Amino acid sequence: MPEYTFRMMGLPPKQGTKKIAIPGKATCGDAKKLVRRQYKISDRLVIQLVFKGHPIRDREGFSKFLD
């Protein structure tokens, strides 16, 4: 399973940067669930994944942006 680097805005780089393994067939919604678990983010908070300045929709394939 490939690992991707995520950066949570608002935290110092050492705390806010993590490598997270995401399955190849995962949607962005699936990736968000894994990111929530790693960063211990409540389900009550809204999070947005951004790639190269563009927000990614939940139903889009995660690997689509990285190919």
Side-chain angles (χ1 to χ4, degrees), residues 18-54:
K18 294 188 181 200
K19 288 191 180 257
I20 302 172
I22 307 287
K25 301 267 183 185
T27 63
C28 184
D30 297 334
K32 279 184 178 182
K33 289 176 188 174
L34 295 169
V35 170
R36 281 183 186 280
R37 245 185 268 149
Q38 288 292 317
Y39 281 102
K40 299 176 183 167
I41 300 172
S42 170
D43 289 338
R44 296 178 190 177
L45 297 176
V46 175
I47 64 171
Q48 181 69 52
L49 298 182
V50 178
F51 182 71
K52 292 188 178 180
H54 300 285

Side-chain angles (χ1 to χ4, degrees), residues 4-20 38-39:
Y4 301 98
T5 303
F6 289 86
R7 169 87 163 84
M8 180 181 265
M9 300 308 295
L11 291 177
K14 287 186 179 181
Q15 292 176 324
T17 304
K18 294 188 181 200
K19 288 191 180 257
I20 302 172
Q38 288 292 317
Y39 281 102

Side-chain angles (χ1 to χ4, degrees), residues 24-28 56-65:
K25 301 267 183 185
T27 63
C28 184
I56 303 173
R57 292 188 210 111
D58 283 353
R59 294 184 186 214
E60 291 181 292
F62 186 76
S63 63
K64 166 185 162 182
F65 294 94

